[in-house]
Amino acid sequence: MKAAQVSDIVYLNGDWVTGNNAKVSVFDRGFLFADGVYEVIPVYQRRPFLPELHIQRLQRSADAIGIAPITTEFWHQLVLDLINRNNLDDGLVYIQLTFGADSQRSHLPTQPLTPTIYASLSPLSVHWNTPKPVKVAVLEDIRWHRCDIKSISLLGNIMLKREAAKRGAIEPLLHRDGRITEGASCNYFMVKQGRLYTPPADHLILAGITRTWVIQLAQQLAIEVHEEALNVNELQHVDEVFLTSSSREVQPVGQIDDIIVGNGQCGTITAQIAEAFHASKRHLIQE
Ligand code: PMP
């Protein structure tokens, strides 16, 4: 039995090599300045889930930091090639795109650069039943104001995730001046009197693809959705909370710091949405 690991074959700047043999220059702007963006796409039974939305977001992030556009066809083919070259049914495609390698460390590039493109596939344990509720910790959002860009600079996110872990929580639940934003690597949804609330997709959050999909599923289920940031004070009065991300899918939250959400179990609306989410994965696989 092989231990979980990053894919055997990764893509780096036009080459297909084993992960250990993929080498990037120390002058790469991604390494020196985190001058790059990334994307993560779930793969179920060798089929990418919502690839168009993920690739659009990658293009938007690249555009926001000034990397010249790369064709949509290139990205789609890269995802398919990664799946074909690796022996993994369920996984997460990771794509990283940096501004490229210069000949020295300089805040502004000293010459026109070719972007560095790296992609790998790592194992994913897919949920087919709703997972057990988890605990999250309320923390102040200390990150920059362009969280809409999927930047490889994740220092703020990682510091917050470490602090949450110290408090026995799997994720922070972040806020700015009391207004809820998101997690370190997920979006949040709250249910209050049968309505679903999630913070708006502005510059303060990353508009998750799972979030977009969940909003659509909720609308199909005739659940009212409000893209509105709740205040942390309101957390005492919410009936259900769940978080979403490509790797966690729809994850019920049973506890926020010392507050038990509802009865601490997965709520009915969360369960309905999680089931609709599993159904869309089954649909993809059967297509
Ligand atoms: N917010 C942040 C900060 C994230 O890092 C992620 C996951 N990468 C998400 C939200 C969820 O995005 P998605 O549903 O596209 O995985």
Side-chain angles (χ1 to χ4, degrees):
M1 181 78 178
K2 258 166 84 173
Q5 58 183 29
V6 169
S7 58
D8 295 326
I9 303 296
V10 305
Y11 174 91
L12 182 65
N13 296 331
D15 293 328
W16 292 95
V17 290
T18 56
N20 286 341
N21 288 315
K23 304 272 191 279
V24 180
S25 161
V26 291
F27 292 123
D28 194 281
R29 296 184 58 81
F31 176 66
L32 291 173
F33 303 114
D35 190 359
V37 295
Y38 75 108
E39 192 50 62
V40 175
I41 311 175
V43 173
Y44 302 121
Q45 295 294 299
R46 309 187 75 83
R47 285 165 186 252
F49 188 58
L50 307 172
E52 294 79 13
L53 296 181
H54 283 281
I55 288 167
Q56 259 172 34
R57 182 173 67 183
L58 176 61
Q59 303 276 40
R60 267 204 317 275
S61 293
D63 193 46
I65 69 162
I67 295 182
I70 293 169
T71 65
T72 302
E73 292 71 33
F74 171 84
W75 295 122
H76 279 286
Q77 195 56 50
L78 178 58
V79 170
L80 296 181
D81 289 346
L82 255 181
I83 296 169
N84 288 335
R85 284 174 184 261
N86 284 284
N87 187 21
L88 206 55
D89 292 337
D90 300 315
L92 290 173
V93 168
Y94 175 80
I95 298 175
Q96 177 165 317
L97 174 61
T98 78
F99 223 92
D102 209 337
S103 53
Q104 57 180 288
R105 183 181 182 278
S106 160
H107 283 76
L108 291 177
T110 62
Q111 56 188 314
L113 301 178
T114 307
T116 299
I117 304 176
Y118 163 66
S120 67
L121 183 64
S122 58
L124 170 70
S125 30
V126 183
H127 300 289
W128 292 105
N129 296 305
T130 312
K132 284 200 169 54
V134 290
K135 177 181 172 186
V136 299
V138 174
L139 291 175
E140 191 188 336
D141 200 340
I142 57 166
R143 301 170 306 157
W144 69 334
H145 284 162
R146 289 305 307 275
C147 296
D148 55 314
I149 300 172
K150 203 163 165 60
S151 160
I152 58 169
S153 169
L154 291 171
L155 189 54
N157 305 52
I158 286 167
M159 288 170 68
L160 290 160
K161 200 137 178 166
R162 278 200 190 117
E163 182 55 36
K166 270 194 214 156
R167 298 174 189 210
I170 65 139
E171 271 281 344
L173 194 167
L174 303 173
H175 71 91
R176 289 189 198 261
D177 296 328
R179 282 164 59 89
I180 292 166
T181 55
E182 59 176 345
S185 58
C186 64
N187 295 114
Y188 279 97
F189 285 82
M190 281 112 208
V191 178
K192 206 173 146 191
Q193 294 169 344
R195 299 190 193 99
L196 200 52
Y197 292 85
T198 194
D202 55 18
H203 287 178
L204 301 184
I205 70 160
L206 181 78
I209 304 304
T210 324
R211 172 189 179 278
T212 304
W213 191 243
V214 159
I215 291 174
Q216 282 186 36
L217 293 174
Q219 284 163 344
Q220 284 162 20
L221 291 165
I223 298 166
E224 224 180 273
V225 183
H226 296 261
E227 293 189 54
E228 221 178 284
L230 294 187
N231 194 283
V232 275
N233 299 330
E234 293 173 80
L235 288 172
Q236 317 258 9
H237 310 293
V238 295
D239 305 313
E240 301 177 30
V241 176
F242 63 90
L243 58 83
T244 61
S245 78
S246 294
S247 55
R248 292 193 181 273
E249 305 175 2
V250 175
Q251 166 69 65
V253 172
Q255 190 176 345
I256 303 171
D257 296 329
D258 295 331
I259 309 169
I260 303 292
V261 183
N263 58 6
Q265 302 303 312
C266 176
T268 47
I269 291 188
T270 306
Q272 238 185 315
I273 289 175
E275 185 39 50
F277 194 85
H278 299 321
S280 53
K281 287 184 294 184
R282 281 193 289 270
H283 183 75
L284 170 80
I285 293 168
Q286 285 154 10
E287 253 174 15

